[in-house]
Amino acid sequence: MTTIEAEAPAAVPARRRRKTRSWRRAGMGAAALAGVLVIWELAARAIGDSVTLPTVTETARTLVKYLTTTYPEVQGKTLVEDALISTGRILAGFAIGSAGGILLGSAMAGSRVVRELADPLIGVVRPLPPIAFIPLLVVWFGIGETSKVVLILFGVLPVVTIATLGALDAVPADLLNASRSLGASPVRTMLRVRLRAAAPGVITGMRIAMGGAWTSIIAAEMIAATGGVGFLILQAGNYLQTPLIFSGIAEIAVLGFAFDGLLRLLLRLADPSTRR
């Protein structure tokens, strides 16, 4: 019997175990979510005031209703339309900020001069909350899409830059020396070896930045916007439409979970060792 023939049967149980673990994690997650919904329903029935805390069923009915019904009724938008507006802003700002962070982090890792120039700036900017710049961005760019995209970019760029720099610095020197000894140029080593090895760390930083991007855009839409999920939640709060507020929050949770799932899938493709 060859080595491949001996190892093949062992690979099948391993795949089955991974599949079983995946289903178990999904089942545990669903059970935890169901438990939270049950506690929510019981607490809402005990309070007995839908303005303070609506029931799960009432929130679900409101969510389904406003998927196709505008709010406010005059010049308002549906939940789907508001979700598309917020998603478009997130995608634009996140894509630009991530690309800029990867480029800047790579430049800092590859050039000592760039690192010495950019590191103090990143260190000063990173602790600043993007929300604090909303009034300034409104003055500069108005309440249109540009201010929202710049706000997200401002929050994403430092996080992805630091994640990229840290992941690149963690690549073993032996791997880089082997690439150079085989004739690869510094640029080719960076693109074909170092960035590939650092991809899992970069994607993890992007996942963290995505959470901050949603926080920033919802806050911006509550302060200076005429559409988006944050604007909808603010309008619902002004008229004490608590079930609609929870519907908007649920929509953010679903969208955030979906985006994080896509990034986790990308992480699994970049690092097969995460498939467990």
Side-chain angles (χ1 to χ4, degrees), residues 7-8 62 77 87 97 111 118 128 151 154 172-173 178 183 189 201 205 210 212 219 254 256 269:
E7 291 178 352
T62 302
K77 298 177 179 63
T87 299
S111 172
L128 299 177
L151 178 70
F154 185 82
T189 299
M210 175 61 77
V254 171
L269 294 175

Side-chain angles (χ1 to χ4, degrees), residues 60-74:
R61 286 196 301 268
T62 302
L63 175 62
V64 172
K65 174 184 177 181
Y66 285 102
L67 287 175
T68 55
T69 303
T70 60
Y71 187 88
E73 295 183 2
V74 180

Side-chain angles (χ1 to χ4, degrees), residues 88-89 92-93 96 144-154 217:
R89 293 164 176 165
I96 298 172
E145 300 304 307
T146 303
S147 60
K148 313 298 187 303
V149 173
V150 172
L151 178 70
I152 297 171
L153 186 156
F154 185 82
I217 194 59

